[in-house]
Amino acid sequence: MIDLTAWLAFLAASALVVIVPGPTVTVIIANALRSGPTAGLMNIAGTQAGLVLMIGVLALGLEAIVASAGLLFDILRLLGAAYLIWLGIQMWRSDGCLGQADVPARSHAALFWQGFLVIWSNPKALVFFGAFIPQFVDPAGDPTTQVILLGATFMAVATVLDGAYAFAAGRAGGLLSRQRVRLVERLSGACLIGGGLWLALSRRA
């Protein structure tokens, strides 16, 4: 297994990584504001499914292949950037009806796949895992088992912290006036557009 001290250090590092808002958290908050905590939680379910796939790739030792698949992941990065920008434009153009009964709600399946797509729209996340997790792996132990354990730990931390964002945003959405909701929508849209532009202009490590 893994040394307890190393695991605790990984736990703390994971919390620091997850707690900093990024495109994934922005999407979770935006949907939770619009449709309540359940919408954010379905986004989280999608991101967790994406993380399972990423951790599986890492556990199988395929990170070197991923790092060398430049063209494929450049295409994926640009598609993900375009998707985030499109979401941001839709949010910016909203009329302040966020969370109102006359706004069609996204299905749970759509929210799930949205979360999955957003986490995979940034291939650097997989490269990050390939550099981050091995630092806490004991060479004397079974690396595959340790990677799975560390990956599960990261997923648990992400679920708790992202869930806290979803519940906080869901509660806040119900307290906002129409005018303030429109301001929040535009701020969220600007964040999504900014995240998409950052992703489009970024380069693989």
Side-chain angles (χ1 to χ4, degrees), residues 1-8 10-11 14 55-56 58-61 129 132-155:
M1 297 299 288
I2 190 170
D3 179 73
L4 179 60
T5 302
W7 182 81
L8 290 174
F10 179 82
L11 183 67
S14 297
I55 292 165
L58 179 59
L60 293 173
F129 275 123
F132 179 59
I133 290 182
Q135 297 181 47
F136 299 88
V137 172
D138 183 358
D142 177 25
T144 301
T145 301
Q146 292 180 74
V147 166
I148 293 174
L149 175 60
L150 293 170
T153 299
F154 186 92
M155 289 177 61

Side-chain angles (χ1 to χ4, degrees), residues 112-132:
F112 174 90
W113 287 112
Q114 184 184 69
F116 184 90
L117 179 59
V118 169
I119 191 69
W120 270 96
S121 69
N122 185 5
K124 279 190 172 183
L126 186 52
V127 177
F128 165 78
F129 275 123
F132 179 59

